[in-house]
């Protein structure tokens, strides 16, 4: 069973060495089991697990389905020794003390230690037993680990990037590594270090640019300031193609950074926490930034616009680059879309049909930036799988990469494979868990690999495995103290520095616009409360920022806090009386609080600044509510002059014309709505005006269409029933009116039903419906 659910926590233990020890609990000495018994299975550690010499004590976890087991005893027997360490446990987990673990590591340094768990029933008899072997490696890890913690589902991080944090620390501490970067209101993503750990690169949104990338020297106190940030958008900025800059990597010597630019990617966020996003690039070339020259240049051999070239990694000597490649994906929806990130509307074939899309690993010489011919990497290409996230061992002997059936990031079936660096037969690492294995990094001495997995929990954890000279890996060791229960730990990277080498990374590039963008990201996902908090942080930096005040006002309005929204919007308009968006939002707030004349004034101010079709339409709505139908229709017509395709203006004008009994022109505009944006309201309106013109059959058909789309459309039932009565379809009318009273009972509806029933000769039923009408009226009177 390839699962290991690991929980931390010290248990009361009883140590009995060779049958002697403190008098606490049971001191019964059981023989060391020679064979498995009962239904007991040691979940963690797995057999032949190899622990780093500096790691803190693990928690042994087992599962025992044997009936009648009341308690357990954990035993450890060292090679060549008869003495056995014994520990009692009342739970199905046990963790040794610091001193005991030190002794265990010392004795298991050069040979296996047998670890047994025995299940004992209430009478003291052995009912179950299982054994595994563990060993302590002579190879230390030595490096610290830099990694990111993200809330789940991933949409939470999109809504509020300040929840993402980065930690830096080593495996020899009982405590979780300290947070070194947090509270960043803009998105931060992939990171990489130079070979000696002296330079850090980090994706980070900057200003209005998703292509921002920070490059800074590694120090105890680091500052993300303007002068340390470049943007991949500077590569061919004038060609009109936007860039995010995906999966960037710093060269081993720290001089160059390579990234995917001119990119597009599938990005779909899902509400579940296990695998809460689908992400993979479908377009992009590799571009190199030279930190000395300050230049951006495409890498020949990895800049073919017919292919996606992404996810690059440097060889340890910096002479070659391995990257993931496949053909660019295109369809009609993508061609029409201008966004970099494509969602389920653009590519339903990947979301609904899970259409295959696979990557191959290719190698290209760097050649000082001159590139060369890209060649497929044998064992990691053209194997009917998706191959990605390649990493070289520090000695350049091996490549470990991730393989899945399709796509790239966060694949449940992703597993780690190893090949010779020159290419060869791929071998699946023994360390793979049963659920997602990815985001791996070699220690600088090449003996250990850190990676991420979701085998224990939806919140990704970090694991270690030892890699020997032959490229064989050991069973996984979980770093259960590295991650918290409410964050996914991902993108772990070994850094050849002491655990205290990085104390804090502080952002000083944040301006008001950074907070505006972060708040707008919250607002787009409906998190208006989070948006308001972010806008407040921005206003603390720049209290008079009109865009922030306007955005804050709109977010407050969306929360139903119209009075507070008005305060923010009034501040914005006091600073800039010509700020059109603030006038528009102030009009919305005024409508909400019943100040229609004030709403009219703000809409007219907005139109004086810049005429807009949508605002003419909104002004018409306000005028109509003030009892000024002619002026309202004039505004709707003006809106349609500016935008003849506006379904909203066509509908509002049609409704106003219908109210004025101008049925023929109303018919024209209702049909225009149905051509552009069909709705039950439009079909209902068209049905009504057709009936009013004597076109009963077509009118009935449109009302039926409205009801098929929305069976709760009470207005459609009323007009349909009336038309059926006109045509003498009394039985059908009775059925329609009955459905109407089921949906929305009213005295008038009951009375209309009763009248039809009388004409059908169903007098008893009619009397009952009249009684229902009187009951509704009496109920209303009682409430008054």
């Amino acid at each position: 069973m390839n699962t290991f659910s690991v929980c931390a926590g010290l248990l009361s233990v009883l140590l009995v060495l060779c049958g002697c020890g403190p008098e606490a609990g049971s001191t019964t000495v059981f023989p060391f089991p020679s064979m498995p018994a009962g239904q007991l299975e040691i979940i963690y550690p797995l057999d032949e697990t190899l622990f780093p010499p500096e790691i803190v004590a693990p928690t042994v976890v087992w599962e025992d389905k044997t009936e009648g087991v009341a308690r357990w005893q954990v035993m450890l027997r060292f090679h060549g020794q008869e003495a056995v360490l014994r520990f009692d446990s009342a739970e199905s987990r046990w963790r040794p003390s610091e001193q005991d673990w030190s002794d265990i590591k010392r004795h298991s340094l050069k040979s296996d230690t047998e670890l047994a768990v025995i299940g004992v029933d209430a009478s003291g008899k052995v009912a179950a037993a299982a054994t595994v072997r563990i060993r302590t490696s002579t190879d230390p890890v030595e490096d610290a680990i830099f990694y990111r913690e993200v809330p789940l589902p991933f949409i939470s991080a999109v809504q509020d990037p300040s929840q993402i944090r980065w930690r830096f620390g080593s495996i020899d501490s009982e405590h979780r590594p300290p947070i070194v970067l947090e509270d960043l209101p803009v998105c931060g993503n992939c990171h990489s270090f130079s070979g000696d750990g002296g330079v850090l690169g980090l994706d980070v949104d900057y200003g209005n640019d998703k292509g921002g990338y920070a490059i800074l020297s590694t120090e105890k106190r680091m500052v993300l300031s303007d002068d340390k940030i470049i943007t991949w958008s500077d590569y061919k900025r004038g060609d009109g193609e936007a860039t995010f800059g995906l999966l960037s990597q710093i060269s081993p010597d720290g001089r160059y950074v390579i990234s995917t630019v001119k990119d597009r990617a599938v990005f779909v966020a899902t509400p579940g926490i296990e695998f809460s996003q689908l992400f993979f690039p479908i377009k992009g070339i590799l571009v190199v930034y030279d930190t000395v020259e300050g230049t951006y240049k495409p890498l020949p051999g990895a800049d073919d616009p017919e292919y996606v070239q992404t996810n690059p990694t440097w060889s340890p000597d910096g002479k070659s680059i391995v990257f993931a490649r496949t053909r660019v994906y295109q369809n009609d929806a993508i061609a029409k879309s201008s966004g970099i990130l494509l969602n389920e509307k653009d590519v339903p074939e990947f979301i609904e049909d899970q259409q295959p899309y696979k990557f191959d690993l290719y190698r290209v010489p760097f050649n000082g930036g001159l590139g060369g011919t890209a060649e497929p990497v044998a064992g990691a290409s053209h194997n009917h799988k998706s191959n990605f996230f390649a990493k070289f061992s520090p000695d350049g002997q091996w490549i470990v990469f991730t393989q899945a059936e399709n796509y790239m990031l966060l694949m449940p079936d992703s597993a780690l494979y190893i090949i010779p660096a020159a290419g060869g037969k791929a071998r699946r690492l023994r360390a793979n868990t049963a659920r997602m294995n990815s985001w791996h990094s070699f220690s600088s001495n090449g003996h250990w690999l850190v990676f991420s997995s979701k085998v224990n929990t939806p919140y990704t954890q970090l694991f270690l495995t030892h890699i020997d000279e032959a490229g064989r890996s050991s069973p996984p060791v979980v770093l259960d103290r590295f991650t918290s229960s409410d964050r996914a730990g991902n993108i772990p990277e070994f850094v050849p520095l002491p655990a205290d080498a990085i104390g804090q990374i502080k952002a000083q590039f944040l301006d008001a616009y950074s907070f505006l963008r972060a708040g707008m990201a919250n607002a787009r996902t409906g998190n208006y409360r989070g948006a308001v908090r972010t806008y407040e942080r921005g206003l603390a930096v720049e209290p008079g920022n009109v865009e922030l005040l306007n955005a804050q006002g709109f977010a407050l309005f969306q929360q139903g806090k119209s009075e507070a929204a008005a305060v923010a919007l009034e501040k914005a308009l006091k600073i800039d009386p010509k700020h059109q968006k603030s006038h528009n939002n102030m009009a919305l707030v005024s409508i909400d609080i019943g100040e229609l004349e004030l709403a009219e004034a703000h809409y007219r101010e907005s139109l004086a600044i810049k005429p807009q079709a949508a605002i003419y339409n909104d002004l018409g709505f306000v005028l109509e509510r003030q009892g000024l139908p002619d002026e309202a229709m004039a505004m709707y017509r003006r809106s349609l002059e500016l935008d003849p395709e506006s379904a909203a203006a066509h509908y509002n004008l049609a409704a106003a014309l219908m109210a004025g009994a101008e049925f023929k022109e109303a018919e024209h505009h209702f049909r225009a709505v149905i051509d552009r944006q069909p709705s039950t309201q439009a079909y209902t309106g068209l049905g009504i005006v057709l009936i009013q013109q004597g076109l009963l059959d077509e009118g009935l058909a449109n009302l039926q269409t409205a009801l098929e789309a929305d069976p709760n459309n009470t207005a459609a039932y009323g007009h349909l029933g009336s038309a059926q009565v006109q045509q003498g379809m009394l039985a059908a009318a009775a059925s329609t009116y009955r459905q109407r009273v089921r949906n929305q009972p009213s005295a008038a509806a009951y009375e209309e039903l009763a009248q039809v029933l009388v004409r059908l000769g169903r007098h008893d039923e009619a009397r009952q419906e009249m009684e229902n009408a009187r009951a509704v009226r009496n109920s209303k009177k009682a409430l008054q």
Side-chain angles (χ1 to χ4, degrees):
M1 180 176 179
N2 192 16
T3 58
F4 19 96
S5 178
V6 180
C7 300
L10 292 173
L11 304 174
S12 300
V13 296
L14 167 67
L15 173 61
V16 181
L17 182 57
C18 296
C20 302
E23 295 288 336
S26 171
T27 57
T28 305
V29 177
F30 298 102
F32 201 94
S34 59
M35 295 181 64
Q39 299 184 60
L40 191 151
E41 182 178 13
I42 298 175
I43 306 300
Y44 182 80
L46 298 180
D47 191 38
E48 297 187 339
T49 293
L50 189 63
F51 288 98
E54 65 266 58
I55 197 167
V56 296
T59 300
V60 179
V61 180
W62 59 92
E63 184 180 72
D64 194 351
K65 297 180 180 179
T66 310
E67 291 186 10
V69 171
R71 58 187 175 86
W72 294 271
Q73 190 169 91
V74 179
M75 299 182 181
L76 293 111
R77 183 166 66 186
F78 305 125
H79 180 72
Q81 297 184 25
E82 294 183 4
V84 175
L85 294 181
R86 304 175 189 273
F87 304 88
D88 279 0
S89 175
E91 300 181 62
S92 58
R93 58 181 56 85
W94 166 79
R95 184 169 186 250
S97 68
E98 183 178 350
Q99 182 58 54
D100 289 333
W101 179 239
S102 179
D103 291 340
I104 293 167
K105 288 194 293 184
R106 177 168 50 84
H107 285 292
S108 63
L109 193 60
K110 295 183 179 180
S111 57
D112 288 343
T113 288
E114 291 179 280
L115 186 156
V117 178
I118 294 176
V120 182
D121 64 19
S123 67
K125 292 181 180 180
V126 174
T131 307
V132 295
R133 294 162 294 168
I134 63 173
R135 184 179 290 208
T136 301
S137 175
T138 57
D139 298 321
V141 169
E142 296 179 326
D143 297 347
I145 300 175
F146 186 79
Y147 63 102
R148 188 179 73 162
E149 283 190 321
V150 184
L152 297 180
F154 186 72
I155 192 66
S156 299
V158 174
Q159 292 175 341
D160 187 2
S162 66
Q163 295 183 72
I164 302 173
R165 58 199 184 200
W166 285 257
R167 293 183 184 270
F168 183 75
S170 57
I171 66 170
D172 59 0
S173 173
E174 284 284 344
H175 304 290
R176 189 171 297 125
I179 296 170
V180 296
L181 173 59
E182 63 179 332
D183 210 23
L184 197 63
V186 296
C187 187
N189 204 346
C190 296
H191 53 77
S192 66
F193 286 83
S194 58
D196 62 1
V199 181
L200 166 65
L202 177 69
D203 288 336
V204 60
D205 289 359
Y206 177 65
N208 193 28
D209 193 349
K210 296 290 288 186
Y213 191 78
I215 306 171
L216 56 166
S217 298
T218 306
E219 300 171 358
K220 184 79 171 180
R221 297 283 181 267
M222 302 161 69
V223 178
L224 284 168
S225 53
D226 294 337
D227 60 312
K228 297 183 176 68
I229 297 176
I230 67 164
T231 173
W232 296 109
S233 300
D234 280 345
Y235 172 71
K236 292 189 176 180
R237 183 179 284 275
D239 66 4
E241 281 191 277
T243 283
F244 265 22
L246 294 174
L247 304 165
S248 309
Q249 288 283 307
I250 287 182
S251 62
D253 63 4
R255 174 170 176 172
Y256 301 100
V257 188
I258 188 167
S259 184
T260 303
V261 305
K262 301 303 178 184
D263 41 312
R264 299 185 91 175
V266 172
F267 173 70
V268 178
T270 54
I273 64 173
E274 289 192 341
F275 296 95
S276 57
Q277 64 168 312
L278 179 66
F279 178 90
F280 57 92
I282 61 167
K283 175 181 177 294
I285 64 171
L286 295 184
V287 165
V288 177
Y289 175 74
D290 186 334
T291 64
V292 175
E293 301 293 334
T295 57
Y296 301 86
K297 294 180 181 178
L299 182 66
D303 63 343
D304 188 337
E306 297 296 315
Y307 291 91
V308 188
Q309 291 121 137
T310 186
N311 186 204
T313 190
W314 298 84
S315 62
D317 58 9
K319 292 182 178 180
S320 64
I321 289 166
V322 170
F323 61 96
R325 190 182 95 155
T326 192
R327 284 202 170 271
V328 165
Y329 187 79
Q330 188 66 279
N331 63 22
D332 291 340
I334 293 172
K336 294 175 183 177
S337 173
S338 60
I340 296 179
L341 296 182
L342 306 169
N343 59 31
E344 58 270 28
K345 295 179 181 178
D346 303 308
V347 284
E349 57 269 37
F350 292 130
I351 315 306
E352 298 171 8
D353 303 328
Q354 297 183 345
Q355 178 175 305
Y357 196 64
K358 304 175 191 291
F359 293 85
D360 297 306
L361 291 187
Y362 272 69
R363 184 195 324 269
V364 66
F366 180 58
N367 196 19
L370 298 178
T373 301
E375 300 288 348
V377 177
S381 60
H382 307 294
N383 51 15
H384 307 292
K385 300 289 184 180
S386 190
N387 310 275
F388 48 95
F389 292 158
K391 293 291 181 183
F392 282 88
S393 61
D395 61 4
Q397 183 179 359
W398 304 103
I399 291 175
V400 173
F401 67 98
T402 305
Q403 186 180 97
E405 189 66 30
N406 281 297
Y407 314 140
M408 185 173 284
L409 184 67
L410 270 180
M411 291 293 101
D413 67 331
S414 62
L416 299 173
Y417 283 77
I418 191 167
I419 54 173
K425 184 178 180 180
R427 289 178 288 139
R428 183 184 172 101
L429 293 188
R430 185 181 181 186
N432 280 294
T433 72
R435 197 171 182 80
M436 199 210 80
N437 307 269
S438 191
W439 292 118
H440 48 287
S441 170
F442 272 99
S443 62
S444 59
N445 60 26
H447 295 306
W448 295 92
L449 192 78
V450 62
F451 64 97
S452 298
S453 171
K454 286 180 175 283
V455 68
N456 293 331
T457 167
Y459 292 94
T460 321
Q461 292 177 297
L462 307 187
F463 293 79
L464 296 179
T465 182
H466 183 269
I467 307 292
D468 68 12
E469 293 78 5
R472 294 175 300 220
S473 74
S474 58
V477 174
V478 65
L479 299 178
D480 58 341
R481 277 164 176 67
F482 266 57
T483 48
S484 54
S485 61
D486 63 343
R487 294 288 195 284
N490 59 27
I491 324 181
E493 183 171 5
F494 275 123
V495 186
L497 296 173
D500 61 354
I502 300 175
Q504 183 186 46
I505 305 174
K506 186 177 180 181
Q508 287 188 354
F509 66 88
L510 299 175
D511 57 11
Y513 199 83
S514 300
F515 291 102
L516 177 64
R517 287 192 63 231
M520 290 172 68
N522 281 273
R524 280 194 296 271
T525 58
N527 182 15
Y528 293 107
R529 181 177 297 179
V532 169
R533 287 197 302 267
T534 305
Y535 296 144
E536 287 173 350
R537 292 180 62 191
L539 289 167
V541 175
E542 190 178 333
N545 187 285
V546 174
E547 293 293 339
L548 278 169
L549 287 166
N550 171 66
Q552 182 187 44
F554 181 75
L556 288 166
F557 168 71
Q558 291 294 332
Q559 290 181 269
K561 300 178 179 179
S562 291
E563 292 183 1
V567 172
L569 294 167
E570 285 169 356
K571 287 181 182 178
L573 289 170
K574 185 174 182 180
I575 295 167
D576 181 5
K578 298 296 183 181
H579 194 255
Q580 187 177 31
K581 287 183 289 186
S582 294
H583 278 296
N584 294 338
N585 288 332
M586 193 64 190
L588 289 176
V589 170
S590 300
I591 293 169
D592 190 57
I593 61 178
E595 297 284 349
L596 296 180
E597 291 182 0
L598 183 59
E600 177 189 347
H602 281 290
Y603 278 139
R604 291 192 184 280
E605 287 282 351
S606 173
L607 290 168
I609 296 165
K610 182 181 179 181
Q612 289 183 311
I615 303 305
Y616 276 112
N617 181 59
D618 291 341
L619 175 56
F621 173 79
V622 170
L623 291 168
E624 193 167 0
R625 288 187 62 177
Q626 291 182 81
L628 302 168
D630 292 340
E631 291 185 43
M633 283 194 283
M635 294 301 107
Y636 297 144
R637 294 184 193 281
R638 179 60 179 139
S639 176
L640 289 171
E641 287 175 10
L642 296 177
D643 181 11
E645 298 302 310
S646 172
H650 276 295
Y651 181 83
N652 285 339
L653 180 55
L657 289 164
M658 182 173 66
E662 298 182 48
F663 301 122
K664 186 62 181 176
E665 188 179 357
E667 175 193 343
H668 165 74
H669 289 288
F670 278 130
R671 292 190 186 278
V673 177
I674 290 169
D675 288 342
R676 292 159 176 79
Q677 192 175 320
S679 66
T680 57
Q681 292 84 359
Y683 280 112
T684 301
L686 179 58
I688 294 169
V689 297
L690 287 170
I691 290 169
Q692 292 296 327
Q693 295 176 78
L695 302 170
L696 295 179
D697 290 340
E698 190 180 357
L700 285 170
N702 277 277
L703 291 173
Q704 291 285 9
T705 300
L707 288 170
E708 288 170 6
D710 179 12
N712 296 317
N713 188 333
T714 304
Y717 280 116
H719 289 286
L720 177 60
S722 177
Q724 289 168 333
V725 170
Q726 291 182 47
Q727 287 194 312
M729 302 165 59
L730 298 181
S735 177
T736 299
Y737 282 135
R738 196 171 293 283
Q739 185 61 48
R740 179 188 177 190
V741 297
R742 286 195 194 102
N743 288 349
Q744 190 175 346
S746 69
Y750 280 121
E751 287 170 349
E752 285 180 316
L753 174 57
Q755 291 169 9
V756 172
L757 291 170
V758 167
R759 293 179 64 179
L760 287 167
R762 292 154 61 178
H763 299 288
D764 290 342
E765 291 180 57
R767 279 192 290 272
Q768 181 59 55
E769 300 307 334
M770 290 301 293
E771 286 294 330
N772 290 336
R774 279 192 289 273
V776 170
R777 284 200 174 91
N778 290 336
S779 176
K780 287 185 176 180
K781 288 179 180 178
L783 290 174
Q784 294 173 354

